[in-house]
Amino acid sequence: MSSFADAPKGDAKKGAKIFKTKCSQCHIAEKGGSHKQGPNLGGLFGRQSGTQEGYAYSKANKEKAVIWGEETLYDYLLAPKKYIPGTKMVFAGLKKPKDRADLIAHLKKATA
């Protein structure tokens, strides 16, 4: 699976479980929540990397200037440190295409 277009259909319920076990230690998905070790993800889709107000992003994250969407998140979640070398994100990534598609389906709802 090289792109989100080729990915299996995401299941938001399964994605919520992945978020709880893999992401919630460092992130809050709902708009208006506080930042944790990672930034609040509210309003993620369509936002440029490194721009969430009140969070101290790495220089690499700010300079990457990626616009977050299904395709960019799908690529990023495979290996965050390869996608944005120098990022502070310590998460190794989700290797399974279905897991990434499920998480993205959840994030589309949870961060809106």
Side-chain angles (χ1 to χ4, degrees), residues 1-110:
M1 306 282 158
S2 58
S3 73
F4 185 75
D6 299 326
K9 184 173 174 20
D11 180 324
K13 277 189 163 183
K14 289 181 180 176
K17 289 179 184 176
I18 293 168
F19 186 86
K20 185 175 182 181
T21 60
K22 306 270 187 190
C23 313
S24 65
Q25 307 88 298
C26 297
H27 295 283
I28 293 174
E30 296 76 23
K31 277 187 182 179
S34 61
H35 298 300
K36 290 175 132 181
Q37 182 176 343
N40 174 288
L41 300 177
L44 177 66
F45 287 81
R47 187 172 71 220
Q48 182 175 309
S49 65
T51 61
Q52 180 73 319
E53 192 173 321
Y55 185 77
Y57 287 94
S58 66
K59 181 179 178 190
N61 201 295
K62 290 178 195 175
E63 290 180 354
K64 180 73 174 185
V66 64
I67 302 299
W68 295 121
E70 293 170 330
E71 185 74 42
T72 52
L73 281 169
Y74 188 78
D75 294 343
Y76 176 73
L77 290 169
L78 175 62
K81 287 192 176 289
K82 286 184 180 175
Y83 192 81
I84 302 180
T87 185
K88 294 192 299 187
M89 181 135 147
V90 296
F91 182 61
L94 295 170
K95 304 306 175 215
K96 295 179 182 174
K98 179 71 170 133
D99 287 349
R100 284 181 278 148
D102 290 346
L103 180 57
I104 290 166
H106 167 68
L107 288 172
K108 281 187 79 173
K109 290 182 176 185

